Every structure is written in C-alpha cells, then in structure tokens.
Amino acid sequence: MDQTESGKKQYQELVKEVSPNSKLLANCIRAFVGGGLICVIGQLIKNFFLAQQLGEDSSRLATVAVLIGGSILLTGFGWYDRLSEHIGAGAAVPITGFANAIAAPAIEHKKEGFILGVGAKMFVIAGPVILYGTLASILVGLIYYFVR
Amino acid sequence: MELIRAFIVGGIICVIGQILIDKTKLTTARILVIFVVAGCVLGGLGLYEPLVNFAGAGATVPLPGFGHLLAGGVKKAVDEQGFAGIFTGGVTAMAGGLTVAILFGWLSALTFNPKEK
C-alpha cells in the first residue's frame, strides 16, 4: 500500500517534471512545421509573380497582398483561429498572423459600430506594431543619417 | 533548395516566437512588437539582409522581415532625400502592405459576422 502510494507520488512528480518540456518541444515542432510551410507558400507565390515578369517590388507587394488576403479570408470563416490552436507561433509570427490580428478584432467588435468598433479595434495589435516599428525606423534613419 | 531554405529559416523564426510565448509571460502582441523592432534594428545594422538573400520568403514572410523592410526603406529615403528621409522612409516602406491589410480587414468586417460562442 505504502509502496504504491509513494510510487504514485513519484510518478506524478515525474509527470510534472517532464510534461512542460515535452509540451514545449511539441509546440516548437508544430510552430516550426506550420510557420515553415507558410513561408514556403509565400515563396511559391512570389516565384509565380516573378515568373509573370512583375518585377521585384511589385512581386513582393503582390505576394504580401495574397498572403494577407488569404489569411483574412480564413479569419472570416474562423479557420485561422483553429490553425493557431494547432501551430501556435507558427500562425502568429508570419505576416498572415499580423493580418489575422487586424481582421479578427475588426469582425469581433463589429456590433460596436464601424468607427469605434471596427475602426478602432482593428488596430488593437496592429497599432503597437506600427507604432514601435515606425519609432525603430526613425532611430535607424537617424543613426544612418549621421554615420553613412 | 530555395523552398527548403525558406522552410527551415521561416520555421526557426517561428520556433523562437513559440519559445518566447511558452517560456516567458509575453503576450503575442508583445512578441510581434519585439520581432518587428528586432527586424528593423538588425536590418539597420545590415545583419538581416544576408538572411533574406539566403532564405527568401523564409526571412521576409515572418514579422522580422517587416521590420527589415522598414529599415531598408528608411535607409533608401535618407540616401535620396537626406534628413527628411528619416521621417518618410519607414511609413513609405510599409505603405503597400499596410494599405492592403487595412482594406481587406475592413472588407472582412463588412462581410463576416462574429462567431457564436
């Protein structure tokens, strides 16, 4: 009886020790495969536009547009959230995750109206990204101006 | 080969994000901000360009690529316009992607309704 009790305790401790790490590993593998595949899709789209003689700049923008459009469509049907559940950061870190972060709150807060609902909530995550991205670019520009 | 490089580098960048989410208390929004700023700083130092040349979309599709785009834009603007470029380069570089995202995001709010919970 004592043995099984202590055995149980040991087992539970072992589970506690091991599971967070194996969970992290599983999450990382899923993020790796999912995020990697989204990048491969991006590369395929870009190669397609480059093959249409669109030029480097236009191909890049067209690729971003297709990725963002696709992601927002999936968001509208509620499928991007399901994808996020499976691949975690693999869905959040690519530009498609940024698009999802714009569309999801915009749809969610539609009932609050098109100004303070859709208009404001659309930027709840995109806003900080734009803000700090812009500030970082000013810093880079300032330093580059003086050292170039 | 190009696709394999894109897969591996893009995957690794996402794994870094996953580790940050799981190991720290950082929210997704904070990680996205950190990634864009990191990409912009690395881009400013000229350290992100080699990764883009190596991995293509594997480096440009994840959000650090967005930061790198801003850094490239601001450098180009400073070269062309001098001091004014410091303030025009970043937002000019993000203009295309941001406008597309805003347009599609708004259209999606027009089209779709929130899911019942």
Side-chain angles (χ1 to χ4, degrees):
Chain A
M1 188 65 187
D2 266 2
Q3 248 181 348
T4 53
E5 275 295 305
S6 70
K8 234 184 223 170
K9 222 176 225 172
Q10 268 183 340
Y11 175 73
Q12 277 166 349
E13 265 163 35
L14 196 70
V15 167
K16 219 185 255 172
E17 247 176 60
V18 173
S19 57
N21 282 324
S22 64
K23 191 172 166 251
L24 176 66
L25 186 67
N27 285 348
C28 284
I29 291 169
R30 288 198 259 182
F32 180 80
V33 174
L37 282 178
I38 291 174
C39 294
V40 168
I41 293 168
Q43 188 69 56
L44 288 171
I45 295 169
K46 189 170 180 197
N47 289 352
F48 169 78
F49 284 122
L50 283 174
Q52 312 300 313
Q53 313 289 333
L54 217 57
E56 175 67 29
D57 281 351
S58 293
S59 294
R60 190 169 56 199
L61 183 60
T63 304
V64 167
V66 172
L67 286 173
I68 287 175
S71 161
I72 285 179
L73 209 56
L74 292 180
T75 302
F77 288 112
W79 295 339
Y80 205 86
D81 277 352
R82 276 201 238 160
L83 188 68
S84 297
E85 282 167 21
H86 288 293
I87 64 174
V93 171
I95 194 82
T96 49
F98 181 69
N100 169 256
I102 288 181
I107 296 168
E108 192 68 39
H109 295 275
K110 192 177 172 179
K111 281 208 182 83
E112 291 157 48
F114 267 81
I115 305 299
L116 289 177
V118 174
K121 296 292 166 46
M122 179 183 265
F123 294 102
V124 71
I125 289 177
V129 172
I130 295 164
L131 166 62
Y132 290 106
T134 303
L135 292 180
S137 81
I138 293 171
L139 182 70
V140 167
L142 204 59
I143 294 169
Y144 182 71
Y145 180 77
F146 287 108
V147 302
R148 82 191 150 128
Chain B
M1 261 327 279
E2 184 188 45
L3 294 178
I4 295 170
R5 289 200 297 264
F7 178 73
I8 291 173
V9 172
I12 288 172
I13 294 173
C14 292
V15 167
I16 295 170
Q18 189 67 51
I19 292 171
L20 287 173
I21 289 172
D22 283 359
K23 281 285 176 189
T24 67
K25 290 208 172 80
L26 292 175
T27 57
T28 306
R30 288 183 185 192
I31 286 162
L32 296 189
V33 168
I34 290 168
F35 271 17
V36 167
V37 171
C40 188
V41 171
L42 289 174
L45 295 170
L47 298 174
Y48 204 80
E49 194 68 29
L51 197 64
V52 172
N53 293 333
F54 176 73
T60 56
V61 170
L63 273 186
F66 188 64
H68 164 253
L69 186 72
L70 298 185
V74 82
K75 281 180 173 179
K76 189 166 158 241
V78 168
D79 282 339
E80 287 169 1
Q81 309 164 19
F83 192 77
I86 298 169
F87 301 97
T88 61
V91 177
T92 305
M94 75 167 92
L98 187 61
T99 303
V100 168
I102 288 175
L103 172 66
F104 288 167
W106 186 79
L107 287 175
S108 74
L110 203 62
T111 312
F112 295 102
N113 287 309
K115 294 268 165 296
E116 301 292 328
K117 280 189 177 164

